[in-house]
Amino acid sequence: RRATSGSEIKPDKFYEELKRNVSAKLVEVGIDPIEHRGATISRKCYYFVVFVCVLITGRMHMNGSFVGSFLFALSGWLLGSLGHDGGHYSVSRIPLVNDIAVWGMYLIANPIMWQHQHTYAHHSHTNEFEHDPDLHHFSGLLRVHRKFKYNEQYAAQSNPAFILLAYAVVVFGTAVWIPLDMIVTGSLYDMVSLSEKKK
């Protein structure tokens, strides 16, 4: 549905047709679009095992274990998949469960920030240079879109070690720098407003 001038909401004919076609294709391959919505049993087991690992390794980390600290960081990163899936409302058919699950990424990114910049802005405007904030997270290190002017700094991105370093910097940015900047400026790259009123 799309909003018009005023409070009236008109159905989006393309979106409605797309939903019908996707539902028909899912049924054709044996997937019930309502009954099979949400994480599979094996995925739920994965979430549980990783969550238990976070608790165990977190305790090890707090007791000063170097191995515990490394494993805590690793398991916290793996738990981010629960947050990602919750943000896409794919953990459960119950919206509240998904809203809680998104907090599974709290060790690697701010969950509220994630919902604004990734779930809403990135997936609403994927690869649109002026509106997709995910394209701009890397711009100082990586050229991820042809509209970025080529600079010598981008020559290193063919090296896998450089890509790993770049992602480490980006994780710091999404967990610390970007949320602080969004609080100060009230927006993300002037693309996503912190205020719901400006949507």
Side-chain angles (χ1 to χ4, degrees), residues 141-143 150-159 162:
L141 298 170
L142 301 173
R143 185 174 186 240
Y150 182 80
N151 292 317
E152 285 300 315
Q153 71 199 37
Y154 299 134
Q157 75 184 57
S158 62
N159 182 332
F162 180 79

Side-chain angles (χ1 to χ4, degrees), residues 176-197:
V176 179
W177 177 255
I178 292 172
L180 289 176
D181 186 58
M182 194 167 180
I183 289 168
V184 171
T185 64
S187 73
L188 178 64
Y189 310 126
D190 292 325
M191 294 179 193
V192 183
S193 174
L194 187 59
S195 169
E196 295 289 325
K197 294 176 183 175

Side-chain angles (χ1 to χ4, degrees), residues 44-63:
K44 289 175 186 174
C45 289
Y46 168 82
Y47 298 147
F48 178 76
V49 168
V50 171
F51 181 73
V52 169
C53 288
V54 166
L55 296 177
I56 293 169
T57 60
R59 181 160 178 102
M60 292 169 65
H61 166 71
M62 289 171 38
N63 288 330

Side-chain angles (χ1 to χ4, degrees), residues 56-162:
I56 293 169
T57 60
R59 181 160 178 102
M60 292 169 65
H61 166 71
M62 289 171 38
N63 288 330
S65 165
F66 177 76
V67 172
S69 295
F70 174 77
L71 293 175
F72 180 58
L74 178 63
S75 58
W77 180 71
L78 292 172
L79 189 64
S81 64
L82 173 64
H84 174 270
D85 297 351
H88 287 291
Y89 287 84
S90 63
V91 171
S92 172
R93 288 185 289 173
I94 303 167
L96 179 61
V97 172
N98 291 303
D99 288 339
I100 293 168
V102 79
W103 287 86
M105 69 172 38
Y106 77 100
L107 292 170
I108 59 171
N110 179 307
I112 296 167
M113 172 73 191
W114 177 266
Q115 289 292 74
H116 276 278
Q117 74 87 26
H118 182 77
T119 307
Y120 165 69
H122 168 66
H123 284 289
S124 296
H125 305 286
T126 306
N127 290 331
E128 291 179 30
F129 187 76
E130 293 80 15
H131 301 290
D132 182 352
D134 278 14
L135 296 177
H136 301 271
H137 293 329
F138 308 95
S139 61
L141 298 170
L142 301 173
R143 185 174 186 240
V144 296
H145 195 281
R146 67 178 175 263
K147 286 192 176 182
F148 284 113
K149 183 180 174 187
Y150 182 80
N151 292 317
E152 285 300 315
Q153 71 199 37
Y154 299 134
Q157 75 184 57
S158 62
N159 182 332
F162 180 79

